[in-house]
Amino acid sequence: MANEQVEQIDVQAEASKMIDHVSSLNMDQIINDYLIPYGTKILLAIAIFVFGKWIARIISKLLGKAAFASTKDDMLQSFVKSISYFLLLLIVVIAALSQLGINTSSLVALIGAAGLAIGLSLQNSLQNFAAGVMLLVFKPFRKGDLIETGGMTGVVESMGLLVLELRTGDNKTVLIPNGKVFSDSIVNNSDNPTRRIDFTFDISYDSNLKDAKDIIARILAENNLVLKDPEPVIAVGALAANSVQLVVRPWVKTPDYWAAYWGITESVKLEFDKAGIEIPFNQMALHLPEKTNLSVNK
């Protein structure tokens, strides 16, 4: 009880001294002792933050351009620009706080501890970040490539720190976590300059096999999108239960894949119809027994 009274008296004494000191100051002393020194520090801190932020933006853009110049990769440029700007801005904030007299060493330690805690709570995000770095290093695809990954098919629009952005054929935007992309298989349909189209055409056993092959060969020869080298393959793939299966393997340039696929499919159907070559389809035949007269003995 006595100790509490002594502490209360000390606090009152300190407060009284402060009040007396402030009341004894005139306006010139307040300006010279407080406003000018602290105001200068605040203005310098603001100037450091504004100027440093501007410099950070310029440096991050230069680093992004340097990354693009060396790799010609738009996604790497965006990634380097984002991460470098974040790190430089963090340095600027620490410098501005240091100008205000804040102990930045303890602040750095606090940021480190906070980063560790955040890292433990955001393991999936860190995994996606690391996967994004690995994807940028190995470059299994580039912006504009048509890929299949994560159960989705689409054109690569961009890759951020955590997610990959795809645009599907019906113009939907799909975001896939980088970790899922890196751990899943990736099929890049745009990586090579040419692609092979795999067709399977069924004809009935009653149709003329040689005529069917000649019609397909003529269609491929007249199609400007089909490459002459490698030469297309036309062969009997299987003798199925209800049809003869013809496998057709022409090669086209990658951008011409779907145009050639649709055009050849339509042409084969029209020419088969003209030549009377039947394309069989599943049918069910029902055989009903003839009705018999039943006599009932009475």
Side-chain angles (χ1 to χ4, degrees):
M1 189 67 177
N3 292 333
E4 293 179 359
Q5 292 178 350
V6 171
E7 291 178 357
Q8 185 177 4
I9 293 172
D10 292 339
V11 171
Q12 292 176 351
E14 291 294 334
S16 178
K17 288 181 180 179
M18 185 177 295
I19 293 172
D20 293 339
H21 178 69
V22 172
S23 60
S24 64
L25 294 176
N26 54 32
M27 184 57 65
D28 293 336
Q29 289 178 316
I30 292 175
I31 293 174
N32 294 329
D33 294 343
Y34 294 99
L35 292 182
I36 292 178
Y38 290 105
T40 303
K41 289 183 178 181
I42 293 173
L43 290 177
L44 285 175
I46 294 174
I48 290 173
F49 178 77
V50 174
F51 183 72
K53 185 178 180 181
W54 178 67
I55 292 295
R57 185 176 290 109
I58 292 177
I59 294 176
S60 63
K61 287 182 179 179
L62 292 176
L63 291 175
K65 290 181 179 179
F68 179 78
S70 60
T71 62
K72 303 300 180 182
D73 192 337
D74 292 332
M75 293 189 301
L76 180 61
Q77 178 186 13
S78 177
F79 184 86
V80 170
K81 180 180 176 181
S82 299
I83 193 65
S84 60
Y85 178 73
F86 174 77
L87 294 176
L88 290 171
L89 188 60
L90 182 61
I91 295 174
V92 169
V93 171
I94 293 175
L97 293 177
S98 177
Q99 180 61 38
L100 292 175
I102 298 175
N103 188 355
T104 54
S105 59
S106 59
L107 179 62
V108 171
L110 180 62
I111 292 175
L116 179 60
I118 294 173
L120 293 175
S121 62
L122 298 176
Q123 293 183 13
N124 291 335
S125 297
L126 291 178
Q127 179 184 0
N128 292 329
F129 175 80
V133 174
M134 298 301 292
L135 289 172
L136 288 172
V137 171
F138 290 106
K139 299 177 183 176
F141 50 78
R142 297 177 180 273
K143 183 178 180 180
D145 286 353
L146 177 64
I147 68 171
E148 302 173 26
T149 185
M152 301 298 301
T153 300
V155 177
V156 178
E157 288 292 306
S158 65
M159 190 174 72
L161 298 178
L162 302 178
V163 296
L164 172 70
E165 181 180 340
L166 296 182
R167 177 172 49 82
T168 62
D170 54 352
N171 205 28
K172 294 178 182 177
T173 298
V174 180
L175 301 179
I176 306 176
N178 291 337
K180 184 176 182 179
V181 176
F182 187 70
S183 60
D184 196 7
S185 60
I186 301 173
V187 179
N188 191 336
N189 297 311
S190 304
D191 194 40
N192 297 314
T194 59
R195 287 185 64 184
R196 190 185 73 185
I197 307 178
D198 294 346
F199 291 107
T200 300
F201 297 115
D202 292 337
I203 64 173
S204 67
Y205 279 96
D206 295 332
S207 299
N208 190 305
L209 176 61
K210 185 177 182 302
D211 288 347
K213 294 178 68 174
D214 290 342
I215 289 173
I216 295 173
R218 176 170 54 81
I219 291 173
L220 297 181
E222 294 175 353
N223 194 309
N224 295 327
L225 301 180
V226 176
L227 301 177
K228 307 303 180 184
D229 185 23
E231 186 178 353
V233 173
I234 305 173
V236 176
L239 300 177
N242 301 312
S243 65
V244 178
Q245 293 183 349
L246 295 177
V247 294
V248 181
R249 303 290 186 264
W251 287 82
V252 297
K253 293 181 180 180
T254 298
D256 299 332
Y257 181 89
W258 288 111
Y261 183 94
W262 295 323
I264 292 172
T265 301
E266 181 178 351
S267 297
V268 168
K269 175 63 171 67
L270 295 176
E271 294 299 321
F272 276 7
D273 290 344
K274 290 179 181 179
I277 296 176
E278 182 183 355
I279 300 176
F281 52 90
N282 292 332
Q283 304 180 58
M284 180 180 293
L286 297 178
H287 300 278
L288 300 176
E290 295 181 0
K291 292 183 178 180
T292 58
N293 294 324
L294 298 178
S295 61
V296 180
N297 295 324
K298 297 184 179 179

